[in-house]
Amino acid sequence: MSFSSSVVQLRSGNQMMAEGAIQAGCKFFAGYPITPATGIFKTMIDLLPANAGVALSAPDEISAIAYCIGASMRGFKTMTATSGPGWSLMIESVQYALMTETPLVVALVQRLGPSTGGATQGGQGDVLLAEFCTSGGYTLPVLCPTNAKECFELTILAFTWSEILRMPVILLSDKETGMTVESIDYSTLSNATSQNRPSNFAFRDYGEFQKEQRKGTYYIDALQEIPTFAPVGGDRKVTATGSAHDKQGKLQKNSPETIDMLIHLEEKLRWRHDDFSLVNMDLQESAKTLVISYGITSRAAKDAVGAARNVGHAVSSLVIQSLFPIPVKKLAQALDGIERVVVVEENMHGLYRSVLERYCNGQRVQGVNKIGAMITPKEILNAILG
Amino acid sequence: MKLPPITNGFEIVYKKPDTLTDTPMHYCPGCGHGVVHRVLMEVVDEMKIQDKTIGVAPVGCSVFAYNYMNVDMQEAAHGRATAVATGIKRVLPDRFVFTYQGDGDLAAIGTGETVHTVNRGENILIVFINNGVYGMTGGQMAPTTLLGMKTTTSPYGREAASAGFPLKITNLITQLPGALYVTRQAVHEPNAVRRLKKAVRLAFEYQLLKKGTCFIEVVSNCPSGWKMTPQESNKWMEENMFPMYPLGDLKVPSQTMN
Ligand SMILES: Cc1ncc(C[n+]2csc(CCOP(=O)(O)OP(=O)(O)O)c2C)c(N)n1
Ligand code: SF4
Ligand SMILES: [Mg+2]
């Protein structure tokens, strides 16, 4: 790797995502420039070739994500990065990756929307657009870092999740997290790489080939099973299709096996739900108020929680890093004994709050929301004390 | 006491076109965008078609075109300018409709729209500012970037083996029967500006014929993205861009109209 040997370095969240991707074993990146995500693209262009990888400039986001899917079908760990306008264009192929069970990491560095919106204005307005981008409402893992160091760590985790689940994973960052330059102490970073998809690259003799080739790349015995990946251009015939398909990857309309395969796409994550959750909990036993935050607003929330405690006000904090699947167990734990929940997010009317509300039972849920500027600790403190 | 205008007793030979607003332009010093804006509005003034002209701006450095061009200006989503212009022109066929797009907008993300708009022969004018980079996002490699040219995303220079060749999209669309008038111009020196103005005037007039798409490429500079002074950038453009993108007409109506 070509990172500097000096231990403390100034790095942006975008750079750290790229460095995390390299450490995770990402060998293929394709991108199209868009503020505030261009830094990831630029860093991958700088780092990947020296790390035996391929970094490509695509003519648009539709191509960028499709290049990645092609490379991932061969077994490469791949990544692309964009912001809201480009994400909108990628949604078709994100679904294709889901349907074809192709691992892929997409960094979505949010800016103010809708449409072209504000290229240099941050926001947290894409939370639901990221999650609910599939027809059928499939659960896609969405990981959300709050600082440059987490950009590194969660990127590696995103690769692991995407590989072992064989599905696209979204890294939901934002302009401030992605572009703010912070001190990174490299000695505190883990050396761990990401896990690999269960795969079958092995050469097999002809008899076995015949037997196995029926299995293609989708074969499962139970709905929740993750099928063993077989690469294109390998020893067994592999068919992949974005159309509804049976276990052999053959297009079918609505045969029972095909419907099973559609259910399987959700089931493989739902069944492992609890293994795919990540939060930072800072609970106070006597607290009646819980502040829930994610991404950049967590940093203001942390200050506000500290300030409230300084004036003797007990308050708990839950920073959610795995926005989806919703970490229900940890959420329930944090909600225990709580009467009031304050959800802080930089969007107009509480996008994630609208999803969390149904998991709260009896608590009063209120939001601290704003668009066009960052939420301040004072605004959150007022909500905590108010 | 009211002073007499300083122009009293003089003949006005040169002034800012009325259709260009007084708003100071945000473009970097020496950037070609501003000159092209001016030329377009000069023609609109001369043809007295301000109230009949509708422009569609891109996403790119010229997102703010509406601040400078005092005609109806719609900023389309990135790459979709000719598609939006198609919709406008189809329901307002008697208006002068033009798009104004960078090379990223027109020849990368908007390639499909560009090809199909010209192929249908939409009666619009497409103004294409080719500065060989994505200027707005900080000077990344575009499909039009020259071989060997260093950009933030081609730090060692563009290589054909991995990034392909400079896309001469103007030559490509010239082949389409829907293209009525196709020309490649520049704004690096006064004579070039005059030639561009003639081309713009012709293109607006041709719109009345309803015989197909007019397409004007302006080979331009991006001093900031190229990391050069304005003067260096013009010189570099002449020496490097013009050999790849030679100036002149690629298709004129007489070839298409019989
Ligand atoms: C869908 C989408 N992708 C990417 C962007 C980011 N973006 C804004 S302008 C631009 C490129 C502009 O380059 P060009 O069209 O050559 O215009 P110039 O600034 O050079 O005049 C890009 C990639 C965007 N706004 N929307
Ligand atoms: S970045 Fe380039 S294209 Fe944009 S205004 Fe500056 S010089 Fe012109
Ligand atoms: Mg350009």
Side-chain angles (χ1 to χ4, degrees):
Chain A
M1 257 173 274
S2 59
F3 312 146
S4 169
S5 52
S6 168
V7 172
V8 179
Q9 295 284 331
L10 285 173
R11 290 285 186 272
S12 69
N14 282 342
Q15 285 173 309
M16 292 313 288
M17 274 200 180
E19 293 189 12
I22 301 274
Q23 182 161 311
C26 174
K27 292 284 183 233
F28 190 99
F29 183 96
Y32 183 73
I34 186 162
T35 308
T38 308
I40 303 171
F41 179 24
K42 161 77 183 137
T43 311
M44 289 306 261
I45 289 270
D46 289 342
L47 297 182
L48 250 192
N51 285 280
V54 179
L56 276 182
S57 295
D60 57 37
E61 293 85 351
I62 298 175
S63 298
I65 188 171
Y67 296 174
C68 291
I69 291 171
S72 182
M73 284 173 162
R74 175 58 195 175
F76 280 58
K77 290 181 185 165
T78 69
M79 182 184 190
T80 183
T82 189
S83 189
W87 171 252
S88 318
L89 295 175
M90 288 183 178
I91 284 175
E92 179 190 44
S93 281
V94 170
Q95 297 188 66
Y96 177 73
L98 174 80
M99 189 67 140
T100 57
E101 305 197 44
T102 307
L104 166 73
V105 174
V106 184
L108 167 50
V109 189
Q110 298 167 97
R111 65 194 219 183
L112 183 68
S115 189
T116 306
T120 54
Q121 181 61 59
Q124 295 182 307
D126 297 350
V127 186
L128 301 190
L129 186 66
E131 177 60 15
F132 299 117
C133 67
T134 67
S135 174
Y138 287 84
T139 308
L140 294 179
V142 176
L143 287 168
C144 184
T146 68
N147 58 37
K149 187 175 178 219
E150 284 182 15
C151 283
F152 180 85
E153 295 163 344
L154 293 194
T155 300
I156 298 171
L157 190 67
F159 273 98
T160 290
W161 286 16
S162 120
E163 288 285 313
I164 61 183
L165 289 165
R166 279 191 66 179
M167 64 193 298
V169 171
I170 298 138
L171 270 169
L172 188 73
S173 175
D174 62 85
K175 181 237 159 188
E176 315 298 345
T177 308
M179 294 186 69
T180 305
V181 172
E182 309 188 51
S183 297
I184 296 291
D185 183 349
Y186 277 86
S187 66
T188 64
L189 298 181
S190 136
N191 292 325
T193 180
S194 71
Q195 293 182 41
N196 296 327
R197 62 192 82 169
S199 60
N200 208 330
F201 285 87
F203 182 82
R204 34 201 74 248
D205 65 40
Y206 188 70
E208 216 184 327
F209 176 80
Q210 287 247 305
K211 195 169 80 212
E212 283 290 303
Q213 89 157 354
R214 264 187 42 249
K215 294 191 172 176
T217 190
Y218 294 132
Y219 192 82
I220 48 168
D221 286 316
L223 289 183
Q224 74 277 13
E225 212 175 284
I226 312 234
T228 303
F229 171 81
V232 294
D235 287 330
R236 66 170 90 162
K237 178 178 161 71
V238 168
T239 29
T241 172
S243 300
H245 52 261
D246 61 16
K247 291 180 190 175
Q248 288 189 48
K250 298 229 165 83
L251 188 154
Q252 300 263 349
K253 190 181 159 208
N254 58 359
S255 70
E257 186 176 313
T258 304
I259 301 303
D260 272 356
M261 287 305 278
L262 293 174
I263 295 168
H264 148 75
L265 292 179
E266 179 68 15
E267 215 36 36
K268 63 178 175 179
L269 177 53
R270 200 192 64 84
W271 204 71
R272 297 167 174 79
H273 192 278
D274 292 337
D275 300 339
F276 293 86
S277 84
L278 195 70
V279 302
N280 260 329
M281 259 189 284
D282 175 8
L283 308 183
Q284 278 198 322
E285 226 169 81
S286 53
K288 296 281 170 251
T289 304
L290 171 70
V291 177
I292 298 183
S293 62
Y294 58 89
I296 188 64
T297 47
S298 299
R299 299 171 69 164
K302 193 176 167 206
D303 279 5
V305 166
R309 289 174 181 171
N310 280 345
V311 297
H313 192 101
V315 56
S316 287
S317 161
L318 178 69
V319 177
I320 301 187
Q321 283 144 326
S322 62
L323 294 175
F324 297 96
I326 295 167
V328 279
K329 280 205 175 142
K330 287 168 182 162
L331 183 62
Q333 191 187 335
L335 283 171
D336 191 37
I338 293 295
E339 289 168 5
R340 193 166 61 104
V341 180
V342 177
V343 187
V344 189
E345 37 185 344
E346 198 181 321
N347 53 47
M348 202 160 47
H349 43 236
L351 300 177
Y352 195 53
R353 170 161 47 101
S354 70
V355 178
L356 289 182
E357 257 165 353
R358 77 182 75 129
Y359 296 91
C360 300
N361 31 41
Q363 288 93 352
R364 192 154 63 82
V365 183
Q366 75 184 80
V368 178
N369 297 94
K370 186 151 99 179
I371 56 170
M374 288 167 78
I375 296 172
T376 62
K378 183 94 179 93
E379 288 164 323
I380 304 168
L381 182 64
N382 288 343
I384 295 172
L385 301 178
Chain B
M1 189 187 85
K2 196 168 178 287
L3 291 169
I6 53 167
T7 47
N8 261 9
F10 295 93
E11 186 194 350
I12 296 176
V13 291
Y14 193 74
K15 69 178 181 88
K16 183 181 72 61
D18 294 333
T19 314
L20 204 64
T21 66
D22 289 333
T23 314
M25 288 189 182
H26 74 290
Y27 298 113
C28 307
C31 173
H33 272 304
V35 186
V36 183
H37 282 22
R38 181 194 163 98
V39 167
L40 282 165
M41 292 305 103
E42 277 182 5
V43 171
V44 168
D45 269 6
E46 284 170 21
M47 291 176 69
K48 300 192 172 53
I49 53 169
Q50 182 184 13
D51 58 340
K52 293 196 192 67
T53 303
I54 299 168
V56 183
V59 176
C61 276
S62 43
V63 272
F64 290 121
Y66 55 74
N67 277 338
Y68 316 126
M69 304 190 197
N70 196 7
V71 295
D72 276 358
M73 288 298 295
Q74 321 303 313
E75 185 211 325
H78 194 28
R80 316 292 166 228
T82 63
V84 171
T86 296
I88 293 173
K89 184 73 182 192
R90 289 290 178 112
V91 297
L92 289 171
D94 61 331
R95 304 301 162 90
F96 295 88
V97 175
F98 73 93
T99 69
Y100 183 101
Q101 302 170 261
D103 43 333
D105 198 85
L106 181 139
I109 195 166
T111 309
E113 276 77 359
T114 306
V115 168
H116 289 290
T117 302
V118 180
N119 193 48
R120 290 188 307 267
E122 294 296 337
N123 291 300
I124 62 169
L125 162 63
I126 298 172
V127 181
F128 165 40
I129 312 298
N130 178 7
N131 56 14
V133 286
Y134 304 125
M136 177 175 235
T137 42
Q140 295 83 6
M141 179 176 69
T144 46
T145 299
L146 300 182
L147 290 181
M149 188 171 168
K150 287 185 182 157
T151 69
T152 59
T153 52
S154 57
Y156 305 105
R158 181 180 189 165
E159 263 185 280
S162 63
F165 296 89
L167 177 58
K168 295 169 121 181
I169 195 159
T170 306
N171 297 61
L172 206 80
I173 61 93
T174 303
Q175 311 306 317
L176 301 173
L180 176 68
Y181 172 49
V182 183
T183 187
R184 190 184 280 124
Q185 302 292 336
V187 288
H188 63 304
E189 43 105 11
N191 277 334
V193 176
R194 275 194 281 276
R195 280 192 295 272
L196 171 66
K197 188 169 166 186
K198 251 190 219 156
V200 171
R201 173 87 194 215
L202 276 177
F204 270 115
E205 285 170 354
Y206 288 152
Q207 257 190 65
L208 294 168
L209 301 175
K210 302 197 190 318
K211 287 252 157 65
T213 310
C214 294
F215 191 103
I216 302 178
E217 172 177 344
V218 183
V219 182
S220 191
N221 60 353
C222 176
S224 296
W226 297 357
K227 308 204 179 350
M228 292 177 196
T229 65
Q231 268 178 331
E232 283 165 1
S233 75
N234 278 344
K235 185 155 178 287
W236 191 89
M237 178 169 66
E238 281 181 65
E239 288 168 2
N240 298 279
M241 295 279 280
F242 291 174
M244 175 56 68
Y245 303 109
L247 306 187
D249 291 339
L250 285 90
K251 194 178 204 176
V252 291
S254 57
Q255 289 169 250
T256 22
M257 275 160 62
N258 41 34

